[in-house]
Amino acid sequence: MKDKRNAVRYGEAAQQKEKDEAGAAEETTLAEARIADARPRLRRGTRRLWTSGVAVMAGAALLSKFIGVFQKIPLQNLAGDRVFGIYNAVYPFYQLAAVLATAGLPTAVSLLIAERLRNGNDPEAVRRTLYAAMLLLGLTGITAFGLMWAGAGHVARWIGDAETARAVRAVSVALLLAPLVAALRGYAQGLGRMPLSAGSQVAEQTIRVAVMLLALAAGWSAGWSDAEIAAGVMSGSAAGACASLLVLAGYSWCGRSRKRLAREPGAIRAEMKRLAAIALPVALGAVVVPALGVVDAFTVPRLLKSGGLAEAEAMAMFGIYSRAQPLVQLVVMVAGAAAAALVPGLALARLRGAYGQLRLQLSISERAAWGIGAAAAVGLALLAEPLNVMLYADAAGTAAFALVGCTALAGSVNAVTAPALQAMGAVRAPAVLLLVAALLKGALNVALVPSYGVDGAALAGVAALSAVALFGAGMLRRAVRKASGGAGSERAVRPRPVRAAAGIVFALAVMAAALLVAERALDAALG
């Protein structure tokens, strides 16, 4: 009797296993069918993407960021390490204030204007949204400018170099104009004028770099001090914002309505509240990106001074420490641009319940981030000395250059994880992750910089960003498992991570070997 009951239980377990396997196979088949059905729609959507101007926006964003990233190399070559250090110490404060004042508002304005136009051609409501945005952003810009201008001396003391106060005041002027630029860009995007918004971005970066080069030339011929040259360079941000504002305001003025806006008590205030409610989560997620730069600006020069360096020497070493950052930012920018393109598809798949497609897209994006980031990190680490000499004319800080280059891996993973978490509905998770990174970076700077100098600061960046990248990847997997209703169904379509990791490691080993062989061969041939 006992054997009979065991046989019955075994048969029931076998049947249940067969049902689970059949269900998993069916889910995989359905996911593949959804992807196959979506391909014609994807091709049509791609054509609409190009014709709607979104591709123009993406291209302009990449071009403007590319210009902004590579302006730092001629700055160091022409002005030296100390001016380069002042620039990298002050600019994160401007980024932080600008993000607080403008982040999310262009998107919020464009969303509300598009909603007004979709519900019916209501130019009165569109103008009200624009006025509310300009009023809100004007107030935040004036506040940010006042705080930064009045607190320039305190910021300089916190940085550890009193001569940075001029640069802080020079860059604070841009905060008067940047919020208005953000409002008009959102207005142009909401009306579908993507080329106008894109052109304003490119014009801003072009004028900013041109003013920077003019300030360098003028300072070089007139014999300005390092602090005066840094202030002239930082004034390029205000000039770029002014150029962008003129482009946007000129087109908006030509197409303005001459009819006076009808008065509705409380309407502007209600519109301002709606804009703030939409933009605040985006600002909280974006504000922590320049927070890491602020942490370094507050801690590294002061810790170097406490180790026995003079004020000017400490700022010059901070400039040497920042040499690899433009290259890392370029890698992270490419990964972030690719991840941003995946967010709408991920959110749509989650809402439709197409979890097989969702997991497949996430797996591809994660593997691409790990592969691209690891390849860039290995390449920057192996070629640290020749790249340092090629870009900055000497080999100072090569060890720090290699360590900072290694952050390309964690930066690429974080650039993909953050928007993916937002697409999964975890809006606050990216902000929490990067705030943790900032706190960990500060603590590790305090522990390592006094003993190891800028090499310790670079090592602290590798450790902090890597820890947050692993933690964020785990959070993303849990978010996907929670959305799909359990881990059992996830195994049906999830690729094998061990095999994928082994493939990436093998490819990196081959790449590193080929790189070393090519370097040795060229060294022997060219000297």
Side-chain angles (χ1 to χ4, degrees):
M1 181 65 71
K2 185 177 180 179
D3 294 339
K4 186 176 181 180
R5 285 198 300 268
N6 290 337
V8 172
R9 291 174 183 170
Y10 179 78
E12 291 176 351
Q15 291 177 0
Q16 183 63 35
K17 183 179 179 180
E18 291 177 358
K19 290 180 180 179
D20 293 341
E21 291 177 353
E26 183 179 357
E27 183 181 351
T28 305
T29 304
L30 288 174
E32 293 174 351
R34 290 192 188 102
I35 296 173
D37 292 340
R39 284 171 182 163
R41 293 195 299 271
L42 180 61
R43 287 193 290 268
R44 291 194 298 270
T46 303
R47 288 194 294 268
R48 287 196 299 269
L49 179 69
W50 284 98
T51 57
S52 65
V54 176
V56 176
M57 287 291 297
L62 288 174
L63 178 59
S64 61
K65 288 181 179 179
F66 186 85
I67 295 172
V69 165
F70 277 97
Q71 66 160 335
K72 296 181 179 181
I73 294 173
L75 172 61
Q76 188 275 342
N77 292 167
L78 297 174
D81 288 323
R82 184 161 186 253
V83 174
F84 191 56
I86 294 174
Y87 181 91
N88 284 284
V90 172
Y91 195 70
F93 291 93
Y94 166 72
Q95 283 185 309
L96 189 65
V99 166
L100 286 172
T102 65
L105 262 301
T107 303
V109 173
S110 62
L111 286 175
L112 289 183
I113 289 178
E115 180 182 345
R116 300 282 190 268
L117 296 177
R118 186 168 55 249
N119 295 334
N121 190 7
D122 189 357
E124 195 81 6
V126 171
R127 290 170 60 201
R128 187 177 295 110
T129 300
L130 175 61
Y131 293 163
M134 296 187 70
L135 180 59
L136 177 62
L137 287 170
L139 293 174
T140 57
I142 292 172
T143 303
F145 163 75
L147 292 175
M148 200 164 179
W149 182 278
H154 297 290
V155 172
R157 285 192 292 273
W158 291 339
I159 292 174
D161 190 338
E163 294 188 0
T164 58
R166 293 182 180 179
V168 174
R169 290 194 179 95
V171 78
S172 67
V173 179
L175 295 173
L176 287 173
L177 305 174
L180 299 178
V181 171
L184 290 174
R185 277 183 186 158
Y187 175 69
Q189 293 171 19
L191 295 179
R193 300 174 182 173
M194 302 300 181
L196 173 59
S197 180
S200 70
Q201 293 184 42
V202 176
E204 179 178 359
Q205 289 290 357
T206 303
I207 297 299
R208 186 160 74 93
V209 174
V211 171
M212 181 200 77
L213 295 175
L214 288 174
L216 287 174
W220 187 270
S221 60
W224 293 356
S225 66
D226 289 342
E228 291 171 337
I229 292 176
V233 168
M234 300 306 293
S235 66
S237 298
C242 182
S244 181
L245 182 62
L246 290 175
V247 171
L248 291 165
Y251 277 93
S252 300
W253 179 263
C254 293
R256 76 190 188 283
S257 174
R258 301 182 184 275
K259 185 179 179 181
R260 182 172 295 182
L261 185 66
R263 292 185 178 182
E264 294 185 16
I268 296 292
R269 186 181 303 172
E271 200 72 7
M272 291 170 65
K273 290 181 179 179
R274 289 194 64 187
L275 289 169
I278 296 174
L280 185 59
V282 179
L284 291 176
V287 74
V288 289
V289 175
L292 293 178
V294 172
V295 169
D296 275 338
F298 273 156
T299 56
V300 175
R302 295 175 65 90
L303 291 170
L304 291 173
K305 283 176 59 180
S306 66
L309 293 180
E311 190 174 87
E313 293 175 346
M315 191 55 67
M317 288 302 298
F318 186 72
I320 292 173
Y321 161 70
S322 305
R323 286 185 174 186
Q325 289 179 359
L327 301 179
V328 174
Q329 290 172 2
L330 183 63
V331 176
V332 174
M333 177 187 71
V334 173
L342 291 173
V343 169
L346 293 176
L348 185 61
R350 180 176 68 89
L351 293 175
R352 290 181 175 177
Y355 299 116
Q357 179 182 355
L358 175 67
R359 286 188 293 270
L360 182 61
Q361 289 180 347
L362 282 175
S363 175
I364 293 172
S365 61
E366 281 185 326
R367 291 174 64 180
W370 283 97
I372 294 171
V378 170
L380 290 174
L382 292 177
L383 296 176
E385 184 174 357
L387 284 174
N388 201 7
V389 174
M390 180 183 72
L391 297 176
Y392 300 107
D394 58 50
T398 294
F401 192 104
L403 289 170
V404 172
C406 290
T407 61
L409 172 57
S412 299
V413 175
N414 286 325
V416 172
T417 302
L421 283 169
Q422 291 181 339
M424 296 303 300
V427 180
R428 298 178 182 177
V432 173
L433 287 174
L434 288 175
L435 283 175
V436 170
L439 295 174
L440 186 58
K441 180 69 165 65
L444 290 174
N445 278 350
V446 173
L448 297 175
V449 172
S451 301
Y452 302 101
V454 292
D455 295 344
L459 185 60
V462 174
L465 289 175
S466 298
V468 172
L470 293 173
F471 187 42
M475 290 181 65
L476 182 58
R477 288 182 180 275
R478 285 195 295 273
V480 174
R481 188 181 298 116
K482 182 179 178 181
S484 58
S489 60
E490 186 181 354
R491 297 191 192 100
V493 293
R494 189 175 64 189
R496 298 178 181 179
V498 176
R499 181 178 297 179
I504 291 175
V505 171
F506 177 75
L508 289 175
V510 173
M511 185 200 80
L515 187 62
L516 290 174
V517 170
E519 183 185 7
R520 296 296 184 272
L522 289 173
D523 185 49
L526 302 178

